[in-house]
Amino acid sequence: MLVKKPPCIKSSEITDKKLYMNRRQFIVGSTALVTSGLIHSSSFQETEEKSKQKLKVAKRGEHMVKEKVTSFDEATSYTNFYEFSTGKRSVKKLSQSFRTRPWTLSVEGEVKQPKKFDIEELIHMFPLEERVYRWRCVEAWSMVIPWIGFSLAGFIKKCEPTSKAKYVEFTTLYDPDQMPGLSAPVLDWPYVEGLRMDEAMHPLALVAVGMYDELLPNQNGAPIRLVIPWKYGFKSIKSTVKVRFVQKMPKSSWVRKKPEEYGFFGNVNPNVDHPRWTQATERRIGEEGRRKTPMFNGYADQVSQLYTGMNLRKFY
Ligand code: MTE
């Protein structure tokens, strides 16, 4: 059985004391059929209150990286969410009053029938799993984060795509009243990302609704986001409102912005540098020095077959 961390590292050394103590109180179900979802999910209004909401996790133990988990504070204070700000340390404050309820996720395109899912319905639809993943940003910093969510493959099955669906396109909310960063033409808004169907169906692809046993904080993409651990962070779209099944490769926001710097695949690849910096090494947040970046962010055993025969210099 995989363990979350080596026995030499105490949980109390990894996260702050308060959080560590809180983690001990979480309810862990023994089977995937244990009821999942929020405790008092209707009661939160304010972010402060919301961040105290705990998630019931039905399954832990699969897809756990045996490396030191990044502190909750770092993972939630150093964030990329350009709809609020391009300043990583500014997003948290600017997103505090972002409204994540009510929230609807629309499913469109090549599906048997278009659907709309309410966020509460989605959270209760699948048993929630904790997955501790390596998290690598294209800007060459990395973290290890315990995400909570459900498999994207399971969600896609519920969407009933037709055989014409070759890619999935995801779109973030566009709401200039709530998102001050949208006033700057940094990207072609709304934020759009995409995956090839086989990538989206891979068991590692996660739809996250929480992290560190709590609901996703706004700055980390509440109420629902992707986490694709073998790809650079920009593929993991936040605060998603639309999922569209399509025949052609979607034009993601980053590819539209700078195709010479950001490709559709966005796979972590130490052998293909970003034009402005190396991708061979990374700075693990909370550590001194740099460490070598592994191919596919350390998930090569599990995902490399998705790219057999592809020239990864061309399809970056
Ligand atoms: N999604 C949206 N909608 N807007 C963004 O600016 N930034 C991406 C990705 N998803 C982004 C987004 C980038 S560049 C990264 S590295 C990750 O989110 C950061 O996720 P984190 O802040 O939870 O670490």
Side-chain angles (χ1 to χ4, degrees):
M1 192 184 90
L2 288 174
V3 289
K4 197 159 82 184
K5 51 192 180 295
C8 53
I9 301 172
K10 287 191 234 147
S11 296
S12 52
E13 287 166 9
I14 295 168
T15 53
D16 69 63
K17 184 80 186 297
K18 190 164 134 251
L19 187 71
Y20 163 67
M21 295 310 287
N22 282 345
R23 281 180 74 102
R24 300 307 96 203
Q25 296 162 10
F26 301 137
I27 304 152
V28 184
S30 54
T31 75
L33 293 174
V34 172
T35 320
S36 62
L38 300 175
I39 306 167
H40 310 309
S41 60
S42 57
S43 66
F44 60 81
Q45 297 290 326
E46 303 300 327
T47 308
E48 271 298 289
E49 238 179 277
K50 192 179 114 179
S51 66
K52 290 184 195 120
Q53 297 287 330
K54 303 297 176 205
L55 287 164
K56 277 188 190 172
V57 176
K59 222 167 141 185
R60 290 182 207 263
E62 274 183 65
H63 307 300
M64 300 298 203
V65 165
K66 295 177 208 165
E67 288 167 22
K68 182 176 166 179
V69 170
T70 302
S71 78
F72 175 83
D73 191 46
E74 280 294 358
T76 58
S77 308
Y78 191 78
T79 57
N80 261 339
F81 202 165
Y82 282 14
E83 285 86 337
F84 291 95
S85 170
T86 51
K88 296 183 207 326
R89 299 230 177 249
S90 310
V91 176
K92 182 175 174 182
K93 196 163 172 217
L94 289 168
S95 63
Q96 286 310 286
S97 52
F98 181 51
R99 292 185 299 278
T100 57
R101 295 293 188 284
W103 191 277
T104 306
L105 183 65
S106 307
V107 176
E108 306 173 0
E110 297 294 350
V111 283
K112 215 164 143 189
Q113 201 166 14
K115 289 186 173 76
K116 284 190 192 299
F117 294 97
D118 180 76
I119 184 67
E120 300 292 346
E121 180 192 358
L122 272 176
I123 287 173
H124 291 87
M125 197 175 276
F126 304 96
L128 297 182
E129 296 174 37
E130 182 187 55
R131 298 186 182 182
V132 180
Y133 278 160
R134 260 180 234 106
W135 184 234
R136 171 65 156 78
C137 184
V138 74
E139 291 157 302
W141 48 265
S142 68
M143 301 189 188
V144 174
I145 299 183
W147 298 103
I148 296 172
F150 46 86
S151 91
L152 178 58
F155 172 71
I156 288 178
K157 282 183 200 140
K158 282 257 186 281
C159 298
E160 301 182 287
T162 68
S163 58
K164 287 186 186 161
K166 302 288 181 251
Y167 295 87
V168 205
E169 180 190 87
F170 303 85
T171 307
T172 294
L173 178 74
Y174 176 83
D175 186 351
D177 289 343
Q178 295 198 77
M179 298 166 139
L182 291 175
S183 60
V186 194
L187 286 174
D188 193 0
W189 309 115
Y191 196 102
V192 169
E193 258 310 334
L195 295 170
R196 214 172 52 193
M197 271 301 259
D198 58 343
E199 299 180 300
M201 292 300 289
H202 192 279
L204 285 174
L206 187 75
V207 180
V209 294
M211 60 198 291
Y212 298 84
D213 287 303
E214 301 186 359
L215 279 170
L216 278 178
N218 292 344
Q219 63 272 25
N220 292 90
I224 189 161
R225 69 169 300 170
L226 288 187
V227 176
I228 313 295
W230 70 94
K231 293 180 178 281
Y232 293 119
F234 68 86
K235 296 296 293 179
S236 293
I237 189 170
K238 295 179 165 180
S239 306
T240 312
V241 289
K242 193 162 71 182
V243 178
R244 191 174 175 78
F245 292 88
V246 293
Q247 298 185 36
K248 293 203 175 117
M249 185 182 276
K251 274 261 179 194
S252 62
S253 296
W254 284 103
V255 172
R256 266 187 249 162
K257 171 86 180 173
K258 281 192 177 168
E260 67 287 5
E261 293 191 8
Y262 306 99
F264 172 80
F265 288 94
N267 290 318
V268 174
N269 188 343
N271 308 315
V272 178
D273 284 338
H274 184 280
R276 288 182 281 143
W277 54 79
T278 177
Q279 293 293 15
T281 60
E282 63 196 46
R283 182 172 62 92
R284 177 67 54 87
I285 302 294
E287 278 181 10
E288 297 292 322
R290 296 180 76 84
R291 47 165 76 206
K292 280 190 177 168
T293 296
M295 189 63 198
F296 295 115
N297 206 21
Y299 297 97
D301 286 0
Q302 293 160 80
V303 302
S304 54
Q305 86 285 352
L306 291 171
Y307 310 103
T308 309
M310 273 175 70
N311 178 349
L312 297 181
R313 286 197 171 272
K314 190 169 168 210
F315 299 104
Y316 51 93

